Amino acid sequence: MARMSFLSFLLFCLTSVAHGNKANKHKPWIETEYQGIVMENDNTVLLNPPLFALDKDAPLHYAGEICGFRVHNGPGGSGSAQFEAVVLDRSTGEGLVRSKEPLDCESQKEHSFTIQAYDCGEGPDGTNSKKSHKATVHVRVNDVNEFSPVFVERRYEASVPEGRLFDRIVRVEAVDADCSPQYSQICFYDIITPNVPFTIDNDGNIKNTEPLDSKRQRVHSFWVTAFDCGKNRAQADAQVIVTVKPSCKPGWIGWTKRIEYTPGSGSIPLFPNLHLETCEETVWNIQATVELQTSHIGKGCDRDSYSDRSVRRLCGAVRGEVDLLPPPSPATNWTAALPTLPSSDSSLVFSFNGSTHVAVVPDSVASAVSGDHFTLQLWMRRGGASTQPPANQARGTRKEEETIVCSTVKNDDSYSHYSLSVHGCRLSLFYWPDVSAARPVKFLWKLEQVCDSEWHHLSLSVQFPSVTLYVDGVTFDPALIHDNGAIPNPAPHQRLVIGACWEPEEKPKDIVNNTMPENKDTGKFVSGYKGLLSGVTVRPGNVEPHSVVECLYACREGLDFGDLETLGSGMKVHVNPSQSVLVLEGDDIESFNRAVQQVTYRNSLRFATPGVRPLKLTTSLRCFSEESCLSLRQLEGYLVVLQPDAPQISLSGVGPHLARPAAEFEGPQGVPLFPELRIVCSLSHAVNTAAQGMEGGALMSDAVAHTLDGCEVQPLGEELNTEREELLVDMESLRERGLDIINTTAYIAITGAESISVYEDVLRSIHYRLAKGSARFERRFRLSCSEMNGRYTSNELTLEVNFLHSLDSLYHPSHLLASQQQFLHPSHHTGELSGHTLPNPHRNSVVPGAATVIIMVCVGFLVVMVILGVFRIRSIHRRGEGARGGGKEGGNQWDDSALTIIVNPMETYENRMGITTDMEGECEDEEEVVDSPDDTSDDQRIIIKKEGRDSAPRRY
């Protein structure tokens, strides 16, 4: 009974629970808003977020399940009629919204309606079903590219005059019926007819690509098409007809694109047949700009034939300048660590990176340029090897100060300080007359030239308190002069720095009696310069005249105007300082045409730099009616400077051999090496008298045209031994002529632009001197010269100097043994024998070649031996007749006069040593002499062999 009661109770509980869960207590839940997208060719709406209805009664059957969705009309009336929602999964509540019929974007792009979810209630009949809240659904219909572009008109016509370029001749237009911007817009038009002188842009504007000619083709007919952004092509193409009307051709007539210039021609007209045609259009102002591009030639134009130092001499500049950036050498080693760039002239171009590239000028050089009156000159280009300035620098916003030159020098008992710096597009000179007392003064210039990354020539003349600045030969006044007030005094320590400024770390208490202790001279370089520098010189004393500064910068090529006297009324001519841009302005066509034909190109260099110079002509017209005013295109051409005729520099008047007694070489003055040297230039330099009156035409004078800029004397073989030999040069004569010299043991180089006659005098005065007792028999030298900055070189003149030793020095047994050794073995000692000849009574005698001397000595030796042994040869050998006959033949072959200058050194030696005339015994004695253990003779023989080996020519 008990068991039966428990089962009945359990069944009752389960039945009660089952009937209690059938109650539908909660409403379904959905999002409040949905965004949907549907394509025109699809009926499924993609909702964001996805459609899901949730019910808290889940997982109860019926009450926790979603049975459906209801769609209600939205504000526009669309909804239930066009869309429906279906349940995909009753347990999860996932649903789907779809259109009942295809949608058309062109009819309606967007639809809005509401949607509501309901559950299944408490049973299969849906009793007590509950509904969710209403959610708003926005559906956007995405367009499909179903329509193609259609032209508004099927045919477009236009008429234009010939000979002109137009911005727009006619505009075509096409439309697209698609609803979306992607497919309804026309992305581009295209001309489908090939080889027509027209082009069309994306807006349908058609213009011509070249001037039209009615005589060549009166009517141009072509077809165009259009494409929408979906790449659908137009249903039908459109036809365009352009009629060319005969008309006048405005513009320049007679333009020549290529112009050739032969160096030495002086000035030539660039446009001798050029004239402007305006087709009777009334103009009241004409302006033409001729631009000659020479920035790629050297430092802005053709001025490359001479070094900076030579140009200073040719321009008449006062001597005494000090080169602060000289070529690296043992004497000027402060520029050895600076990187250099290739340059078309001999002036070195040094690169500075703003940090590690700094040149500290020695105090010995810095002290020579002290004082408050000096001229500082230099070539500079900001930005290094690159020709494009930084963007911020081009806008003038670069604020970092970069120091070009920073100097603190001692003047008597005080120190002065100055620094030349650039920052942005400003150039500043900071000058401190006395670092211990005076207040500094700052001179400031605002210049576009310091930030355009082009080469510019700066000349700063200081006569404190007056300062004059020349940039490319043009004077600039300071934009601002002001007292900087009380700022820390520079350290009173002499220092001249290029490319930065020295900032000491000393404290003011370390300075005693206006002097900085040597052990306190510590600091760092600041305000480094970034760019290129060349030709940095300082000359103390009076400043250079303006004419000299202009000559130093003046380009040797450029644009010019032929005859200003023929310039018509109302005409204006302007030429920039570098003569690369010439501007003509006027109001009369006829006067303007005559003026254009007077524009010339000149190059005053006889050996001009060959190459192409681009040429441009830009014209601007102003008419009374601005709308119909003519517009002329820019003309482009080029000027070709042909290769100049190379001069032939010939060195002559010096024989291949020069023989003098050794005693003359040991004299205090030595012996001149090139006493009869002649230098001839085979090219005739004709002077153009018309060019002499032109600016910068001084270099065309005949004296300068025949100018050498350097000669070099180089010893061949080993370098000069300063203890035994030297080359003597008249230094005073060089200084008077303004020539420079580099004197080393490897070569002597004399440099500087001077006439041929001056170089002849200097080279003729070069002497060669030997120290007394030098055991040398020959020495070889090579001489060469160059013209136009090393551009053209002469032939190489080689001179062999032979030192003739007297017989007195040969009487010593040691000399005789050495001579005998030479005679017995001539093939091993040609170096010694070539110079071991008797003195010639004539001062300018020439010794034969080494082979000839050896043959003569050997034949003479043979003749003497035959004469001494003739008796024994007759008595012992029957072949003595043949030998005697050979001796006679030898006597017939050689003139007695020639034998008189041959002395047998063996004869004296035999007489003194008591040697018999026996031929065999003599040979035995000779062998004994060679193998003799005598210390004196052996030492002498070894010395001669060593000297001969050392003096052998060594070719490069």
Side-chain angles (χ1 to χ4, degrees):
M1 288 293 294
R3 183 176 181 183
M4 193 66 146
S5 300
F6 175 76
L7 291 175
S8 300
F9 176 78
L10 181 61
L11 181 60
F12 173 79
C13 292
L14 291 176
T15 305
S16 300
V17 172
H19 286 286
N21 286 342
K22 291 182 180 179
N24 190 5
K25 298 180 180 181
H26 301 93
K27 295 180 180 181
W29 180 90
I30 60 176
E31 299 285 348
T32 58
E33 187 175 14
Y34 294 90
Q35 301 291 334
I37 298 175
V38 63
M39 301 298 295
E40 281 187 322
N41 57 357
D42 192 6
N43 63 346
T44 300
V45 179
L46 302 179
L47 294 180
N48 183 24
L51 181 59
F52 282 94
L54 304 178
D55 198 314
K56 292 184 178 181
D57 296 324
L60 294 180
H61 190 49
Y62 297 113
E65 295 177 346
I66 304 300
C67 276
F69 296 92
R70 290 187 177 91
V71 178
H72 305 278
N73 291 334
S78 62
S80 60
Q82 294 178 299
F83 296 91
E84 62 180 356
V86 296
V87 178
L88 299 180
D89 190 337
R90 296 176 58 176
S91 60
T92 61
E94 181 182 2
L96 175 67
V97 177
R98 58 192 178 191
S99 61
K100 297 179 180 180
E101 57 187 18
L103 302 177
D104 186 7
C105 176
E106 287 73 29
S107 301
Q108 187 175 352
K109 296 182 180 180
E110 294 183 352
H111 300 267
S112 296
F113 53 89
T114 59
I115 190 171
Q116 194 176 32
Y118 59 92
D119 59 19
C120 296
E122 297 178 352
D125 55 355
T127 305
N128 198 18
S129 174
K130 294 186 180 297
K131 302 178 182 178
S132 70
H133 63 274
K134 292 184 178 179
T136 304
V137 179
H138 301 281
V139 177
R140 186 178 75 248
V141 182
N142 276 5
D143 187 24
V144 176
N145 193 13
E146 54 188 329
F147 296 100
S148 298
V150 177
F151 280 98
V152 176
E153 299 181 13
R154 295 293 305 276
R155 181 171 177 172
Y156 296 87
E157 295 184 5
S159 299
V160 294
E162 66 177 353
R164 293 176 57 182
L165 291 175
F166 298 90
D167 293 334
R168 185 177 73 176
I169 296 177
V170 65
R171 182 177 183 271
V172 299
E173 183 181 4
V175 294
D176 195 299
D178 286 307
C179 68
S180 63
Q182 179 181 3
Y183 300 129
S184 63
Q185 291 185 357
I186 306 300
C187 274
F188 63 94
Y189 296 86
D190 190 21
I191 298 177
I192 60 177
T193 303
N195 303 324
V196 293
F198 299 94
T199 184
I200 187 171
D201 60 17
N202 294 340
D203 295 327
N205 297 313
I206 297 176
K207 63 180 181 180
N208 55 328
T209 58
E210 63 183 39
L212 304 178
D213 188 357
S214 62
K215 296 180 180 178
R216 186 173 58 183
Q217 187 171 354
R218 181 67 180 274
V219 178
H220 295 267
S221 177
F222 53 93
W223 294 84
V224 297
T225 188
F227 293 86
D228 61 19
C229 295
K231 297 185 179 180
N232 271 2
R233 182 174 171 175
Q235 293 180 353
D237 301 327
Q239 184 183 17
V240 180
I241 298 176
V242 178
T243 303
V244 183
K245 298 184 299 183
S247 64
C248 177
K249 295 181 180 179
W252 291 103
I253 300 176
W255 171 262
T256 302
K257 188 173 183 180
R258 175 187 171 95
I259 304 171
E260 292 187 354
Y261 178 82
T262 302
S265 302
S267 296
I268 62 169
L270 293 177
F271 320 113
N273 302 315
L274 189 64
H275 67 277
L276 179 62
E277 178 61 62
T278 60
C279 299
E280 300 181 357
E281 182 73 27
T282 304
V283 296
W284 62 273
N285 181 266
I286 312 171
Q287 180 174 308
T289 302
V290 182
E291 181 180 358
L292 180 70
Q293 297 182 13
T294 59
S295 59
H296 61 290
I297 306 295
K299 297 186 182 74
C301 61
D302 203 352
R303 56 167 71 89
D304 307 330
S305 293
Y306 300 95
S307 64
D308 292 337
R309 183 179 294 273
S310 299
V311 171
R312 288 185 56 82
R313 296 186 60 254
L314 296 173
C315 289
V318 181
R319 298 180 183 179
E321 74 277 0
V322 177
D323 194 352
L324 301 184
L325 289 179
S329 67
T332 58
N333 59 356
W334 65 87
T335 60
L338 294 178
T340 59
L341 297 180
S343 176
S344 56
D345 56 15
S346 64
S347 300
L348 288 180
V349 175
F350 295 92
S351 176
F352 294 82
N353 62 0
S355 57
T356 59
H357 298 164
V358 178
V360 180
V361 182
D363 292 346
S364 59
V365 179
S367 60
V369 294
S370 60
D372 57 359
H373 287 57
F374 61 89
T375 300
L376 174 65
Q377 297 190 8
L378 56 93
W379 285 94
M380 65 168 291
R381 191 179 82 177
R382 298 282 297 282
S386 175
T387 59
Q388 295 296 330
N392 58 344
Q393 180 179 339
R395 296 190 297 269
T397 59
R398 185 173 180 176
K399 298 301 181 182
E400 297 84 356
E401 185 174 76
E402 302 177 15
T403 302
I404 301 175
V405 179
C406 187
S407 172
T408 302
V409 295
K410 186 174 183 181
N411 303 317
D412 298 331
D413 297 331
S414 63
Y415 286 87
S416 63
H417 173 87
Y418 73 87
S419 62
L420 182 67
S421 306
V422 289
H423 44 98
C425 290
R426 286 177 169 82
L427 178 74
S428 63
L429 174 68
F430 185 80
Y431 189 77
W432 206 313
D434 188 350
V435 299
S436 62
R439 295 158 68 93
V441 179
K442 191 171 188 178
F443 301 85
L444 191 64
W445 295 268
K446 186 176 181 181
L447 303 169
E448 293 294 333
Q449 289 89 337
V450 299
C451 59
D452 62 359
S453 292
E454 298 289 345
W455 278 107
H456 294 285
H457 180 264
L458 272 65
S459 177
L460 189 68
S461 299
V462 178
Q463 284 182 309
F464 192 78
S466 175
V467 175
T468 305
L469 174 67
Y470 299 94
V471 180
D472 298 338
V474 179
T475 308
F476 287 87
D477 295 326
L480 183 64
I481 304 175
H482 61 87
D483 190 338
N484 263 32
I487 62 175
N489 298 48
H493 183 81
Q494 182 162 284
R495 191 182 299 274
L496 178 56
V497 181
I498 309 297
C501 205
W502 177 258
E503 184 178 86
E505 297 177 355
E506 301 85 356
K507 305 299 181 181
K509 63 181 181 180
D510 297 327
I511 301 175
V512 180
N513 296 328
N514 199 27
T515 303
M516 178 63 60
E518 292 296 332
N519 58 354
K520 296 291 185 178
D521 185 21
T522 59
K524 61 181 179 179
F525 292 108
V526 296
S527 303
Y529 172 74
K530 298 178 182 179
L532 305 179
L533 292 178
S534 177
V536 182
T537 62
V538 174
R539 188 184 61 80
N542 296 330
V543 299
E544 299 282 9
H546 188 194
S547 59
V548 172
V549 177
E550 286 183 340
C551 178
L552 292 175
Y553 170 73
C555 290
R556 307 309 175 193
E557 68 171 340
L559 301 173
D560 203 349
F561 192 80
D563 188 4
L564 293 175
E565 299 295 334
T566 61
L567 194 63
S569 60
M571 291 295 303
K572 299 178 182 179
V573 179
H574 174 73
V575 183
N576 69 334
S578 62
Q579 298 176 326
S580 61
V581 177
L582 184 144
V583 180
L584 285 175
E585 187 174 358
D587 53 9
D588 181 68
I589 296 294
E590 296 300 328
S591 300
F592 197 87
N593 286 334
R594 288 194 299 269
V596 168
Q597 296 174 4
Q598 292 290 325
V599 177
T600 62
Y601 168 80
R602 64 153 186 88
N603 194 320
S604 58
L605 296 176
R606 180 60 184 85
F607 302 101
T609 303
V612 175
R613 277 77 163 166
L615 191 65
K616 296 180 181 180
L617 176 60
T618 306
T619 310
S620 175
L621 302 178
R622 293 185 179 181
C623 310
F624 291 100
S625 176
E626 294 294 339
E627 295 180 356
S628 62
C629 194
L630 302 176
S631 178
L632 304 182
R633 65 183 180 91
Q634 183 184 67
L635 298 180
E636 296 184 357
Y638 53 93
L639 175 76
V640 180
V641 178
L642 303 179
Q643 184 75 31
D645 296 332
Q648 301 296 326
I649 308 172
S650 175
L651 307 181
S652 61
V654 178
H657 299 275
L658 175 64
R660 291 289 187 278
E664 294 187 16
F665 288 96
E666 296 173 354
Q669 300 297 327
V671 174
L673 293 179
F674 316 106
E676 298 180 359
L677 175 67
R678 292 188 60 214
I679 304 176
V680 178
C681 181
S682 62
L683 187 62
S684 176
H685 299 266
V687 178
N688 191 325
T689 57
Q692 291 181 348
M694 298 167 52
E695 183 179 357
L699 294 183
M700 282 302 295
S701 64
D702 188 67
V704 176
H706 293 85
T707 296
L708 298 180
D709 63 0
C711 288
E712 181 178 292
V713 180
Q714 178 185 3
L716 300 180
E718 72 256 12
E719 297 183 0
L720 293 176
N721 187 343
T722 55
E723 297 180 356
R724 298 167 50 194
E725 56 186 342
E726 62 179 337
L727 289 174
L728 304 178
V729 183
D730 188 354
M731 302 301 296
E732 185 64 27
S733 176
L734 292 179
R735 283 192 293 268
E736 291 178 357
R737 291 175 165 90
L739 298 177
D740 298 325
I741 184 172
I742 301 175
N743 192 350
T744 67
T745 59
Y747 65 93
I748 287 182
I750 301 173
T751 59
E754 259 300 348
S755 62
I756 289 179
S757 60
V758 170
Y759 268 94
E760 285 181 339
D761 294 341
V762 172
L763 295 176
R764 290 170 183 171
S765 66
I766 296 179
H767 288 64
Y768 177 67
R769 190 173 71 86
L770 279 176
K772 292 185 177 181
S774 298
R776 177 172 288 280
F777 294 93
E778 68 174 6
R779 171 58 103 169
R780 300 176 69 224
F781 296 93
R782 180 169 59 198
L783 171 64
S784 62
C785 296
S786 64
E787 183 180 3
M788 294 297 168
N789 218 5
R791 186 170 168 187
Y792 304 106
T793 58
S794 69
N795 61 308
E796 293 183 349
L797 189 63
T798 302
L799 175 65
E800 180 178 329
V801 180
N802 300 109
F803 310 103
L804 308 181
H805 298 274
S806 63
L807 288 176
D808 293 338
S809 62
L810 302 178
Y811 290 154
H812 193 276
S814 61
H815 286 282
L816 294 177
L817 290 175
S819 301
Q820 180 187 12
Q821 192 72 9
Q822 294 173 8
F823 294 149
L824 292 176
H825 305 281
S827 60
H828 298 288
H829 303 284
T830 58
E832 292 89 337
L833 292 174
S834 62
H836 203 82
T837 56
L838 290 178
N840 194 307
H842 299 287
R843 188 173 182 83
N844 295 328
S845 62
V846 177
V847 177
T852 305
V853 174
I854 293 173
I855 294 174
M856 293 178 62
V857 172
C858 292
V859 173
F861 177 77
L862 178 62
V863 171
V864 172
M865 293 296 101
V866 171
I867 294 175
L868 293 177
V870 63
F871 178 77
R872 185 170 180 80
I873 295 172
R874 284 183 176 181
S875 61
I876 297 177
H877 302 286
R878 296 184 60 184
R879 290 176 299 177
E881 292 294 333
R884 184 170 61 255
K888 292 180 179 179
E889 291 178 2
N892 294 333
Q893 292 178 358
W894 294 93
D895 191 1
D896 291 343
S897 61
L899 292 176
T900 57
I901 65 171
I902 302 300
V903 177
N904 182 15
M906 297 299 296
E907 182 179 358
T908 303
Y909 180 74
E910 291 170 357
N911 293 336
R912 293 185 179 183
M913 302 299 294
I915 300 178
T916 65
T917 60
D918 191 314
M919 190 67 171
E920 296 177 357
E922 183 178 357
C923 295
E924 293 174 359
D925 291 340
E926 290 170 0
E927 293 177 358
E928 291 176 1
V929 170
V930 173
D931 298 331
S932 173
D934 183 66
D935 295 337
T936 303
S937 59
D938 285 346
D939 291 343
Q940 179 67 19
R941 176 175 54 84
I942 293 173
I943 291 174
I944 292 176
K945 284 186 177 182
K946 181 176 184 297
E947 177 64 24
R949 182 170 59 254
D950 290 345
S951 62
R954 175 166 53 89
R955 300 185 182 275
Y956 294 95

